[in-house]
Amino acid sequence: MKPPARLRAGVVAAVVARRLRQAGTAATPFLAEFTTVPRENAVNAGIGHCTGQPDDRAESREIKVSEAQNQSDDELEFIDDEPGSGVGGGHDGSRKPWRVLIVDDDPDVHSTTILALRNTQIINRPLQFLHTYSASQTRELLKHESNIAVILLDVVMENEDAGLRLVKTIREEHSMNETRIILRTGQPGYAPEIDAIRDYDINDYKTKSELTRNKLYTTLTAAIRSYEQICTINASRRGLDMIVQASAELMALQGVRNFATGVITQIAALLRLTPEGLVCAQDTGTGSGPASDDLVVIAAAGRYASLINQPLDTISDPEIRDALTRCLHDQRNLYDGPGTTLFFQSNTHRDVAAFLDTRESLDDIDRRLLEVFSTNIAIGFDNAALFSRLNALAFFDQLSRLPNRTHFITQIDRRLATDHGDQILALIDVDHFAETNDALGHRFGDKLLQEVATRLKQALDEQVVVARVSGDTFGMLGTTDKLSPNQVMALFDEPFMIDEQELMVSVTCGVLSLTDAGPSGADALQNATIALNRAKERNRGEINYFTLDMSKEIQEKHNLLQALRKAFDNERLFLMYQPQVDLVTRSPIGMEALIRWKKDNGEFVPPDRFIHLAENSGLIVSIGEWVMRVACHKQAELARAGYPHLRMAINISVAQFRHPRFPFMLKRALDDSGCDPTCIELEITESMAMLEADYLLLTLEKLKETGITVAIDDFGTGFSSLAYLQRLSVDRLKIDRGFVKEIGESERGAQIPEMVIQLGNNLGLKVIAEGVEKLAQADMLQKLGCHEAQGYYFGRPMEFSNLLDWLGTQSP
C-alpha cells in the first residue's frame, strides 16, 4: 500500500535535503542539483512542458539520478504515481490547468520546482509548466504564448539585472498585467528586495534559500488566486463594455425588441453559456387598443425562439412562468429557480424580466456581476424605449400617424434601388386649405387632415406607401396597377363629415414616373413637387404629369439665380437712364433709372428674365436698395452738372416696398447722396398699388413726408378701384407701353390711352406715356392731353456719361 502523497513528498524532501548537506551544497531544499537539463531543450524541458504532456526524457533523467545515488545510505526512491497524475499533464481536461512559466538559467531549478509541485492542484486545477532559460528565450516565448498565470523569474541570468529588465518587457511590451510575477534569486545583493518591490511591477520576492515546498506551494497559491480574481474582474469589465457597446448598437438600429435579444446573447456570452432564454415585458398596447397588464415575450433565443410576441401563458414550463411572475412582482433577481431570472426596473413604467437557462447555480462573482448588469441593462431598456419614441417622432407624422417626409424619401430610395419601371409617385395638395384653416380654426383643419389621411390609407392598396409630406400635401408611392391618380382624385368626390359638418374638398395632383425620378428619393420628391406646383399655378383641381422639360426649366432658373447673386456681389449689375420729355416743349424733364446685367462673356440678360427671380428669392431687396442709392447719387451729380431740376424715376418692387426698413433705406439714400428729394420719384405697379390698401396708404404718407413723388407704373393693366385710387397720395399715372403701341394701329387704338389721360386730368394727376417709338404716337398723345412721354423716339436707355452728352444737345 502506497503512503499518502503528502508523506511521500515529505520523505523525498528529507532525503534530498540530507543528500545536499552531505554534498556541502547550500541549503536550498528544492533548488539543488537533481539532474542536468540540456540547453537545447530550454523552452520545454521538464515534466509537463508547454504542450501539457509529460516529458518522458525528463522523467528518465530523474530516475537515472536516483539510480546513481543508490550507493548512498540514504536512498532516494521515486514512488510511482497514480495513473494520469503529473504536473501539467495527465489531467482529465475538464478543468484547464494553471499555466506557470519558470524562467531561470539553472536547469536544476526547473527540475526541482516540478518535483516539488508534482501532482499538486491549486484551486481544484492542475499545473502546467513552461520553461525558458534566459531573458531572450522568454521574449520569444511570449510572442506566441498567452494565459500565463504566474511567472517564476530569476533575477540574474545573462547579466545581473536580466530578470528585472524582463519584468518591464512583460508588463509594457506584452501588456501582461494580469500575470503574477514572483521574483526568485540566489544572489539577493544584485537586486535588494526593497528596491525591487518599489521600482518594478512584481508581486512577490523570494530568495531561493527560503523556498521550501510548503512556502513554494503557499506563494504559488496566493499568486494564482490573485491572478484568478484579477482575470475575473477584467473579464467582467470587458463583458460590461461589450454589453454597453452592443446595447448602443442595437438601440441605434432596431429598438427595444432587438435590444432585448441582445441582452440574452450578451449575458449568455458573459456566463460562457449557449444563448437560451427569453425576455418578457408588460404589454403597453398596439396603438389601436388600450394597454393591459398582460406579460408578453418580446425576445427569445434558443429553444424558446418560437415564443416571441406570445403571452406569458404560452410558456409550457410552469416553473419558468412562476419565476418570471415572481421576479416582476418582487422586483428582484432570482437565482433559486430552474435557471436565472433577472429584473430590469424601467422608468417608463414598463418593467422587464429575463429568464436564462444557466443549468447550474452561479457563483458569487457571477451573481454580483449580473446585479451590476441588471442596473445597466435597465438603463439600456429605457434608452431603447426612448429611441423608439424618437424614431417615431423622426419618421412618422404625429397628427396623421402616417410616415413623414423623411420616411417617405427613404421608401422612394428603396424602390429606386430595385426595378421601378412601373411605379409612380403622386402628390396631392388640398385646395384652399389655408382659407379653411383660417375660417374654421386649426382644430377643424387638423381633423380634416386626419380624415384625408384615413380615407387615403383605407382606400388604397396596402402595398401603396401613403405619407404626409408637408402641411396639407400627401404623397403616395406604388405600382401603376395599385395606384391610379384618377382614382385618387375620385376619392374626393364624396364630402367629409367633420364635427357634424359636411365639407367638400378638392385636391390638385402632381404625378411622377420613377423612371424620371432622378438619382435619389429627394430628387424624385422634388420633381413631383415641380409637377404639383405647376398644376397649382395653372390647373388647380387637376392632374399634372412631370416632364423633363419642367426640370430643365427649373434648373435654368436656379442657375440664373445663382449667377445673379454672383453678378451682384461682383458688381456686374449697372444702371442705364432713359430720358423723359415734356410733350409740349419736347425738352427733357427727367429720366428713369433702369437696371441692366451684362455677363462676363458680354451677353446681356434682359430684365424681364432676372427681375422676377430676384423678387421671388428676396434678393430684390438688396438689389433695390443699391439701385436707389446709385440713382440718388446720379441725380445729385446731374444737379452739380447744371441740371438741378431733372427728375430721377426709380422702380420699387413689392418685396422691397413691404420691407420694414424700406423707409429707412430711402432716407439714408437721400441723406448720403445729398440729392433734392423733390427730384426723386418712386414708381410702383398698379397691382402693387391695389394691394393691402391700408398699409400702402400709411406707408406712402410717410414716404411723401421726405418730399419725393410717386407714380403708378403700367397703369391700365390691372384692376384699379377708382375710389381707392383717389385716396392714394400719388402724383403721376404711367400709361403702359402696350397701349401706346396700339395708337395708329387701329381705329380704337387710342381709346384706352385717352381714358387714362382723362382720368388723370380729372384726378389732378400728371400722365406720362412709355414706349413712344414714333412721332405720330407722340403727336397723338399730345393731342389727347398727355403731359409727358419716354421711348426710343426721344432716347434709348444710355449710360450716365452718354446721358450727359445727350442732355448737352437738347434745347434748354
Side-chain angles (χ1 to χ4, degrees), residues 718-748:
F719 299 92
S720 299
S721 167
L722 298 183
Y724 175 58
L725 182 62
Q726 189 175 15
R727 296 172 54 201
L728 285 178
S729 299
V730 297
D731 303 278
R732 191 171 279 98
L733 300 181
K734 197 169 191 178
I735 303 174
D736 183 71
R737 67 180 62 247
F739 301 128
V740 174
K741 183 180 179 180
E742 294 295 322
I743 296 177
E745 298 291 333
S746 64
E747 294 181 359
R748 303 177 60 184

Side-chain angles (χ1 to χ4, degrees), residues 126-423:
L127 302 177
Q128 178 186 32
F129 286 93
L130 293 84
H131 302 269
T132 59
Y133 294 83
S134 66
S136 59
Q137 285 183 354
T138 306
R139 292 187 180 93
E140 288 299 318
L141 174 76
L142 295 180
K143 290 180 181 179
H144 53 80
E145 294 290 346
S146 60
N147 299 325
I148 297 174
V150 180
I151 298 178
L152 299 172
L153 177 61
D154 189 18
V155 177
V156 182
M157 290 180 287
E158 296 99 319
N159 47 56
E160 61 185 23
D161 62 345
L164 294 177
R165 285 188 291 173
L166 186 58
V167 171
K168 289 192 174 182
T169 301
I170 293 169
R171 296 303 193 201
E172 296 175 5
E173 294 183 16
H174 297 282
S175 300
M176 298 175 64
N177 297 315
E178 297 170 345
T179 301
R180 305 293 86 192
I181 299 177
I182 300 174
L183 210 61
R184 301 196 297 182
T185 181
Q187 306 174 60
Y190 284 107
E193 181 175 354
I194 294 178
D195 294 343
I197 292 293
R198 181 191 62 209
D199 299 334
Y200 296 90
D201 185 8
I202 61 175
N203 307 104
D204 207 347
Y205 186 106
K206 301 291 184 182
T207 59
K208 295 179 181 179
S209 60
E210 65 178 309
L211 279 177
T212 63
R213 180 185 185 280
N214 287 342
K215 287 187 177 180
L216 181 60
Y217 174 81
T218 302
T219 300
L220 201 58
T221 300
I224 288 176
R225 182 174 288 115
S226 175
Y227 169 77
E228 181 188 36
Q229 292 173 347
I230 293 173
C231 287
T232 300
I233 293 172
N234 288 343
S236 301
R237 183 181 297 113
R238 287 191 296 269
L240 182 57
D241 290 341
M242 180 176 61
I243 286 288
V244 172
Q245 181 178 357
S247 300
E249 293 174 356
L250 288 170
M251 283 189 293
L253 293 174
Q254 297 294 340
V256 174
R257 292 186 181 272
N258 279 338
F259 177 82
T261 303
V263 167
I264 299 173
T265 303
Q266 299 300 338
I267 292 182
L270 179 69
L271 298 177
R272 302 167 297 281
L273 298 172
T274 302
E276 294 277 352
L278 53 87
V279 178
C280 66
Q282 180 181 342
D283 183 14
T284 57
T286 62
S288 58
S292 69
D293 294 331
D294 294 337
L295 294 175
V296 177
V297 177
I298 63 173
R303 61 192 179 95
Y304 303 102
S306 61
L307 296 174
I308 294 179
N309 297 328
Q310 298 298 316
L312 184 65
D313 293 341
T314 58
I315 300 175
S316 59
D317 191 329
E319 289 187 304
I320 297 177
R321 294 200 307 269
D322 179 65
L324 288 167
T325 303
R326 283 194 299 120
C327 177
L328 287 168
H329 180 270
D330 298 343
Q331 297 189 349
R332 63 183 180 88
N333 297 341
L334 303 178
Y335 303 100
D336 57 352
T340 299
T341 312
L342 304 176
F343 173 73
F344 311 118
Q345 187 169 23
S346 172
N347 292 326
T348 60
H349 307 291
R350 193 191 192 200
D351 293 339
V352 181
F355 172 81
L356 293 98
D357 270 348
T358 49
R359 297 181 179 86
E360 58 185 41
S361 61
L362 303 179
D363 57 30
D364 289 340
I365 293 178
D366 286 338
R367 290 190 181 189
R368 288 196 295 269
L369 182 59
L370 287 180
E371 295 291 340
V372 175
F373 275 149
S374 297
T375 302
N376 283 277
I377 292 171
I379 296 173
F381 272 115
D382 284 344
N383 290 339
L386 175 61
F387 178 83
S388 296
R389 291 195 298 273
L390 292 176
N391 183 72
L393 291 173
F395 296 105
F396 289 87
D397 174 57
Q398 299 304 297
L399 178 66
S400 65
R401 301 299 180 184
L402 295 176
N404 62 12
R405 182 187 187 90
T406 302
H407 194 181
F408 192 54
I409 290 175
T410 301
Q411 294 297 318
I412 301 173
D413 283 327
R414 291 178 179 174
R415 301 290 178 94
L416 291 175
T418 61
D419 183 15
H420 52 268
D422 64 339
Q423 301 195 54

Side-chain angles (χ1 to χ4, degrees), residues 434-543:
E435 290 85 339
T436 302
N437 216 21
D438 293 340
L440 302 177
H442 290 278
R443 178 178 170 275
F444 188 93
D446 288 346
K447 287 187 175 182
L448 173 59
L449 294 176
Q450 289 173 333
E451 290 298 323
V452 171
T454 300
R455 183 173 294 187
L456 290 172
K457 194 65 179 174
Q458 292 178 348
L460 297 176
D461 190 275
E462 62 180 9
Q463 296 182 14
V464 175
V465 178
V466 181
R468 185 186 178 199
V469 176
S470 61
D472 61 336
T473 302
F474 294 84
M476 290 146 285
L477 179 67
T479 56
T480 52
D481 60 328
K482 303 292 184 182
L483 176 61
S484 169
N486 289 323
Q487 291 179 355
V488 172
M489 298 292 285
L491 295 177
F492 296 87
D493 292 342
E494 296 294 327
F496 290 88
M497 185 64 66
I498 302 174
D499 290 342
E500 300 181 356
Q501 181 175 346
E502 193 175 88
L503 181 68
M504 289 298 303
V505 173
S506 66
V507 295
T508 302
C509 183
V511 182
L512 166 77
S513 170
L514 288 196
T515 55
D516 299 327
S520 69
D523 293 321
L525 187 58
Q526 178 182 350
N527 289 341
T529 302
I530 291 173
L532 176 63
N533 290 338
R534 185 65 59 88
K536 289 165 65 176
E537 292 173 1
R538 303 177 182 178
N539 305 300
R540 183 170 282 278
E542 301 292 334
I543 302 173

Side-chain angles (χ1 to χ4, degrees), residues 3-22:
R6 183 177 301 174
L7 177 59
R8 284 184 281 138
V11 171
V12 171
V15 173
V16 171
R18 189 159 52 251
R19 288 285 179 86
L20 293 176
R21 286 196 298 272
Q22 291 172 353

